[in-house]
Amino acid sequence: SLERDVLPYDVLIVGAGPAGLAAAIRTKQIAKERDVELSVCVVEKGSEVGSHILSGNVLEPRALDELIPEWRDDASCPINQKVTKDRFVYLTSGTHWTFPLTPPQMRNHGNYVTSLSQVTRWLGEHAESLGVDVLPGFAASEVLYRRDGSVAGIATGDVGIAKDGTRKANFSRG
C-alpha cells in the first residue's frame, strides 16, 4: 500500500554477472552507433560487482574481442595470463595418470587464465564508463506488470524489516 520510489530506465538488466554486463555494454554500443539516447541500468544483489562470481576461469577471448576490441590495450584489464601449457590428467583417490595427448576440445591455446570475479568488476567499470548505471546491493525481489500483462519493471526488496516481520523506523519500500 506504500508508494514506491521509481527510477525509470529504457533498459533494465537484472544481475551484474558477465552476461548481464555484456548485454548492458552492447546495448549502449548499439545506441551510440545509432545515435540514440538510451538509459541502461544493471541491478546486482551482491554488495559489489563480482562478489557472487566464482573465481577461477579459463577465458576464451573471441566474444570479448567482439565486445571490447581494445581490451588487450587496457592496463586495468585483469586478463593477462595466457595459457602456456595443457595437461590432461585423470585423477583417482590414490593416484593420477597423465595422458600423452590432450583431446582437441580440452586444448586452451589462445585462452587466458584469470579471476572471473576480477573480470566482472572490470566489465562493470567499463559499462559505467559508457553511461550504464550499475547498482550493487539491490536484489530484484519481484517482477512488476502493467495492466495489459507486459513487464513494467522490477521491485527491489524492502529494507528496514525486523526479524518478526514488523516495520522498523528505517523501513523503506523496495
Side-chain angles (χ1 to χ4, degrees), residues 107-129:
R107 293 184 190 143
N108 287 298
H109 177 75
N111 295 341
Y112 292 80
V113 177
T114 188
S115 162
L116 194 54
S117 61
Q118 290 176 4
V119 171
T120 304
R121 276 192 281 283
W122 175 78
L123 284 171
E125 292 167 4
H126 188 78
E128 288 177 326
S129 76

Side-chain angles (χ1 to χ4, degrees), residues 86-99:
D86 283 317
R87 218 183 311 171
F88 192 65
V89 180
Y90 181 76
L91 304 173
T92 69
S93 61
T95 191
H96 70 277
W97 291 280
T98 301
F99 290 88

Side-chain angles (χ1 to χ4, degrees), residues 6-13 28 37-43 131-135 146 151-154:
V6 176
L7 296 173
Y9 285 95
D10 296 313
V11 177
L12 171 69
I13 297 167
K28 288 299 268 190
E37 271 300 312
L38 203 61
S39 60
V40 180
C41 178
V42 179
V43 293
V132 174
D133 290 337
V134 180
L135 306 176
R146 294 184 184 96
V151 174
I154 57 106

